[in-house]
Amino acid sequence: MTIGTLAITLAWVPFADPDQMAMLGTVSLIILGYTGFRFAVASGLLPAGLPGGQAREAAVRRVRQQHRLMSRSWLEFTAAGKDLWLPVYFDPVLVALTQDTAELSGRSVHIAGQRIYPAGRVRDREPVGKLIDNPTRPDPEALRRTGIGRRLLLDAQSAIAGPFVGLLWVYSSGGGVPGFVGATMIAAAAATWLSAVRGSDPS
C-alpha cells in the first residue's frame, strides 16, 4: 500500500510547479516516516508498551472495534490487575480466536505459535466506538470475507476526503482542473494508505 501511494504521489512530479513539488515532497516524507514508525512498532524495534520485559502468559480475547469508517482488531487481556487493550494488525488466526492463552513479552505477542503484530501501544482505556466480540464458536464463513477485495473496499472508504482536499488545494494555491485532479488523487491514495497502515480489519 505504501509503494502504491508513493507511486501515485510521485507520478505528478513532472507536472508540478515549485509549490506543488514542495507539497509532493512533504507528503512523500510523511508517508515514508509514518510507515517506518509503524513498521518499527510492529516488528518490536520500538516497544508497544506490553507489560514486563520477560515473556509471560495471559488469557486474551479478540474484539473488533467499529468507529465511524474505521474497523480494527484489538486484543483484550488483564495484567497486574488492570484491563488492557492492544491494537493489532489483522491476521486470519484472529477470526477463529474465542479465548486463548497468549505469550506476551515487552515487544511481541504470540498466540498458538503465531506471531501477532502490534498496530500501536497498549492502552488502559477501552477503545472508543462499538466493540464486537468474537463468537463463542469460530465461524467457518468468516475467513471467506477477509480477502484483498474486501480489505481494499474497507480502506478506500476514507478516499471520500479526496475531492474536498482537491478543492481546498485549488482554492489556496490555484492550479485549475489539473491541480484539482492531482490533489484529489493524492489525497484519496493517502487516506486509503493511512487506513491500511493503522491496521484495518476486513472481517
Side-chain angles (χ1 to χ4, degrees), residues 109-182:
V109 180
H110 288 82
I111 299 175
Q114 178 81 27
R115 182 170 182 176
I116 306 298
Y117 295 93
R121 292 186 57 81
V122 169
R123 300 184 186 181
D124 58 4
R125 286 186 293 180
E126 186 175 285
V128 298
K130 183 179 181 182
L131 298 183
I132 303 167
D133 292 336
N134 265 12
T136 55
R137 288 184 295 181
D139 180 4
E141 297 293 321
L143 277 177
R144 299 179 188 176
R145 301 193 297 264
T146 59
I148 188 70
R150 184 177 173 95
R151 178 168 292 194
L152 280 175
L153 183 63
L154 171 68
D155 294 337
Q157 293 179 88
S158 304
I160 195 168
F164 299 101
V165 174
L167 287 172
L168 182 62
W169 175 261
V170 170
Y171 177 76
S172 62
S173 299
V177 173
F180 170 77
V181 172

Side-chain angles (χ1 to χ4, degrees), residues 1 5 27 31 69 154-162 165 183-198:
M1 185 60 75
T5 305
V27 170
I31 290 170
L69 296 178
L154 171 68
D155 294 337
Q157 293 179 88
S158 304
I160 195 168
V165 174
T184 297
M185 289 183 65
I186 292 167
T192 304
W193 159 82
L194 183 60
S195 178
V197 81
R198 291 186 65 205

